[in-house]
Amino acid sequence: MTNTKTMAAQIERINSIITGAAEYYKVAICSNTYGYMDNRIKQTAYRTFRKIYGKKYKKHHIPMAKLSNRPQRHENRQDKTFAVEHNEKWIGITKAYITHSQRDKFNYNQKMTPYSSEGRQLYIIEKKGRKLPALDRPPIYEDVELFTCEEKSLNSFEYYMNREYAYNRDRGRCKICGENLRPKFRHCQRLDGTLQLDKINRVPNLAWFCYNCIKIITGGEIPPNTNSKMKSKTERYGAKLKVLN
Ligand SMILES: [Zn+2]
């Protein structure tokens, strides 16, 4: 039988296809498409899990809120999906409907048009008043990283999952300056780098910083114009940091 890590990585590969397709359809009337996709995937998953686990397949049908993969996407979702357990973490199949429809964000109105001042005004009012949907972002890991990661290494499966959790915990912001983190300019730091492999990748030991701040806390100088609040945060994290020499 395929090992659970490979299955978990396969599920994440499927998830990237599901979310990719959902992104594609989100600008159109998509709830029917989402429903169709989710149903077909559920049926296929049901047959696959029955085949693998027999009558025990029900143990693999769990609320999405319990999943470790894509915690931001799945948080507070109580409806069930199929999942595998790997190292005490549940990795499950996502659902297309979770992707926010862009169309639903606006109350379209026949009079809303770019060709009249009244039409433009209606659009502006609608846009301003809209409630922004929760940030729906792709996970930080690549599925290939899940396939190739080694169990007893620093960048283990646990690391990728917990790093994602820490990112979600901090709402994608730098622990020091509070700026929104951007790809390529963010860094996940293990605060105590001297811990054993089984403890080093726990969520409380992981923190996200922007490139500027990580440079400072790992030995750079604090810029003279730094305000006192940021300065004390920088010093606190600098003192907390234990790097393996
Ligand atoms: Zn920062």
Side-chain angles (χ1 to χ4, degrees):
M1 196 171 88
T2 329
N3 70 48
T4 51
K5 195 195 89 177
T6 307
M7 284 172 72
Q10 280 166 342
I11 286 176
E12 261 309 295
R13 184 159 285 176
I14 292 164
N15 286 345
S16 58
I17 298 168
I18 296 171
T19 52
E23 281 294 313
Y24 178 79
Y25 286 112
K26 78 175 179 186
V27 288
I29 301 173
C30 51
S31 62
N32 283 347
T33 312
Y34 285 174
Y36 177 77
M37 277 169 67
D38 289 337
N39 261 327
R40 283 295 298 270
I41 292 161
K42 189 182 168 183
Q43 281 166 21
T44 313
Y46 166 77
R47 282 195 297 271
T48 309
F49 277 75
R50 282 283 317 234
K51 212 157 122 191
I52 298 171
Y53 296 105
K55 279 180 184 160
K56 286 181 183 162
Y57 81 94
K58 279 183 188 162
K59 282 187 178 168
H60 292 264
H61 199 219
I62 62 163
M64 286 195 279
K66 288 191 176 163
L67 300 178
S68 284
N69 56 326
R70 303 175 191 244
Q72 183 206 28
R73 190 175 169 85
H74 298 134
E75 85 185 339
N76 303 325
R77 302 261 168 209
Q78 292 307 318
D79 52 326
K80 291 181 174 181
T81 192
F82 285 98
V84 293
E85 192 181 11
H86 177 65
N87 287 356
E88 296 170 15
K89 291 188 186 305
W90 285 94
I91 312 301
I93 303 169
T94 195
K95 294 191 182 184
Y97 85 87
I98 301 171
T99 299
H100 291 275
S101 161
Q102 291 236 312
R103 199 181 167 85
D104 296 344
K105 276 200 287 187
F106 297 100
N107 282 318
Y108 279 104
N109 176 332
Q110 287 278 320
K111 288 182 183 155
M112 213 181 276
T113 153
Y115 304 108
S116 74
S117 65
E118 187 205 9
R120 285 192 293 271
Q121 201 55 35
L122 279 171
Y123 181 79
I124 290 165
I125 293 165
E126 183 58 39
K127 201 167 181 250
K128 270 192 184 157
R130 89 192 156 165
K131 191 172 166 282
L132 280 172
L135 203 81
D136 198 5
R137 52 166 185 79
I140 292 146
Y141 51 78
E142 301 278 338
D143 59 10
V144 62
E145 289 173 310
L146 301 184
F147 276 107
T148 54
C149 67
E150 305 254 345
E151 220 51 80
K152 287 193 165 52
S153 71
L154 218 45
N155 292 354
S156 58
F157 194 90
E158 185 190 27
Y159 168 65
Y160 290 112
M161 290 297 131
N162 287 354
R163 190 176 70 163
E164 200 71 19
Y165 247 101
Y167 198 86
N168 199 42
R169 172 198 66 198
D170 303 338
R171 297 286 161 207
R173 297 200 183 97
C174 170
K175 274 278 195 193
I176 291 173
C177 67
E179 286 288 312
N180 283 328
L181 294 167
R182 289 174 296 139
K184 293 185 181 151
F185 295 99
R186 59 191 178 194
H187 176 78
C188 181
Q189 179 71 32
R190 297 177 178 93
L191 297 174
D192 186 347
T194 66
L195 291 173
Q196 296 294 312
L197 265 185
D198 61 333
K199 295 205 175 73
I200 198 163
N201 287 323
R202 299 258 170 98
V203 180
N205 196 41
L206 302 176
W208 283 89
F209 302 98
C210 72
Y211 257 36
N212 286 336
C213 293
I214 191 69
K215 256 193 254 164
I216 297 166
I217 60 167
T218 51
E221 266 182 42
I222 301 175
N225 56 351
T226 308
N227 68 42
S228 61
K229 198 177 162 194
M230 255 180 77
K231 207 174 157 195
S232 74
K233 271 191 191 174
T234 309
E235 284 163 353
R236 210 172 66 229
Y237 274 105
K240 221 177 178 181
L241 220 61
K242 281 189 210 161
V243 187
L244 201 61
N245 289 314

